[in-house]
Amino acid sequence: MDFLDYAFMQRALLAAVLVGITAPAVGIYLVQRRQALMGDGIGHVAMTGVGLGFLLTWSPVWMATLVSVIGAVLMELIRWYGRTRGDIALAMLFYGGMAGGVMFINLAPTGSNANLTSYLFGSLSTVSESDVTAICVLAAFVVLVTLGLRRQLFAVSQDEEFARVTGLPVRALNLLTAITAAVTVTVAMRVVGLLLVSALMVVPVAAAQQIGRSFAATFVIAVAIGVSVTIGGTVTSYYQDVPPGATIVLLTIGAFVVLTALAAPLARRRARRTAVDPAHDPAECAIPGTREAADEVGV
């Protein structure tokens, strides 16, 4: 536990825990909406924000947040109105974001490709006190949205038409989901990096789905996996001098493999239990997709 004696590790662990909570909390809704790669696209756009932050001598985290939110809103607008040309527009947005980040950071008097690399792949030693403050504020927003509006977000993620019929503001909730995903990307970029953040938003959810029997259970398991792998990856990177982002993602994939291996025996055990006691019939799947699923969370 000697790593706790260092201020930079204290900051890194706090940031890692917040990332472990927020990334799966948003990712579970993106997976349900079949937008698992949305975080990856936002990460490309956020690079422009990082570059602008260095160019304008403003906080790269806050500038990346602003640019990411704008990019996420544009992505939603393209999804609504893009039709057949939507994929081309998204491609230009993603690649333009990456190119803009590289250009701006090289134009900045204090910027360099080395600065950009720490944001692309994460860097424990460069997490400053101002970064931690920004991460705490942004993480609080993400938790407030994903927990406070979980019933509404769940309903929209499952079936937009059903949600619209019930009177929910579907477009506003879709925009809020996109904005929350953008904020999550900027929360995570100092720990896992912009190019790897999407994995932390998706893989813990996929792992949790292997054993979760309800939306609530899957949510809790995904967050638990996220916190465990981010702490484990951060500590491992300190002792072994390996990249934190890559370590965290590999641990996450390892958790997915383990839970997938456990899923089949657990399913057989439940099947035998149900055969012996038909009255004991657990939920049919990890995250149901029917109206009964909406009733489950009180929508």
Side-chain angles (χ1 to χ4, degrees):
M1 300 291 284
D2 59 309
F3 58 86
L4 292 177
D5 295 335
Y6 299 97
F8 82 92
M9 278 302 295
Q10 295 171 9
R11 295 192 296 267
L13 282 172
L14 176 58
V17 170
L18 293 175
V19 170
I21 294 171
T22 56
V26 174
I28 193 169
Y29 301 108
L30 297 182
V31 170
Q32 284 301 100
R33 289 155 56 97
R34 291 176 173 81
Q35 293 180 326
L37 295 180
M38 184 176 186
D40 189 50
I42 295 174
H44 285 67
V45 176
M47 289 175 61
T48 291
V50 173
L52 277 175
F54 279 98
L55 181 63
L56 302 177
T57 63
W58 201 46
S59 168
V61 175
W62 287 113
M63 184 60 78
T65 302
L66 176 61
V67 173
S68 296
V69 168
I70 294 173
V73 171
L74 288 175
M75 289 170 64
E76 273 301 301
L77 293 177
I78 291 171
R79 189 172 74 90
W80 294 342
Y81 304 114
R83 305 296 181 185
T84 56
R85 295 289 181 178
D87 57 339
I88 298 176
L90 286 174
M92 288 192 295
L93 181 64
F94 298 163
Y95 300 138
M98 182 181 292
V102 175
M103 181 63 70
F104 288 137
I105 203 165
N106 279 279
L107 291 175
T110 60
S112 67
N113 286 333
N115 297 124
L116 188 59
T117 299
S118 68
Y119 287 89
L120 290 176
F121 300 103
S123 176
L124 292 176
S125 60
T126 59
V127 178
S128 64
E129 290 186 7
S130 61
D131 289 336
V132 171
T133 300
I135 290 171
C136 288
V137 172
L138 296 172
F141 168 78
V142 172
V143 171
L144 183 65
V145 171
T146 55
L147 290 181
L149 296 175
R150 63 188 182 280
R151 293 183 175 91
Q152 294 86 342
L153 295 177
F154 177 85
V156 173
S157 299
Q158 287 294 309
D159 189 336
E160 287 191 5
E161 291 302 320
F162 169 68
R164 189 174 286 109
V165 169
T166 61
L168 291 176
V170 172
R171 286 196 172 180
L173 289 170
N174 281 336
L175 275 176
L176 184 59
T177 301
I179 291 171
T180 307
V183 171
T184 303
V185 168
T186 55
V187 168
M189 70 180 181
R190 302 300 279 135
V191 177
V192 294
L194 293 172
L195 296 184
L196 298 175
V197 61
S198 186
L200 197 57
M201 298 171 74
V202 173
V203 180
V205 177
Q209 285 179 331
Q210 305 304 311
I211 59 174
R213 301 293 289 170
S214 67
F215 177 82
T218 303
F219 188 101
V220 172
I221 295 170
V223 170
I225 294 171
V227 172
S228 299
V229 298
T230 50
I231 292 177
T234 301
V235 174
T236 301
S237 68
Y238 171 78
Y239 283 112
Q240 301 298 323
D241 193 25
V242 291
T247 305
I248 290 169
V249 171
L250 290 174
L251 287 176
T252 309
I253 294 173
F256 173 81
V257 172
V258 171
L259 291 182
T260 300
L262 293 175
L266 287 174
R268 288 194 294 269
R269 182 177 178 181
R270 292 192 190 105
R272 288 195 298 268
R273 187 187 306 166
T274 302
V276 173
D277 182 10
H280 182 79
D281 185 16
E284 293 182 359
C285 60
I287 303 181
T290 62
R291 175 161 183 163
E292 288 74 11
D295 294 337
E296 176 188 333
V297 291
V299 177

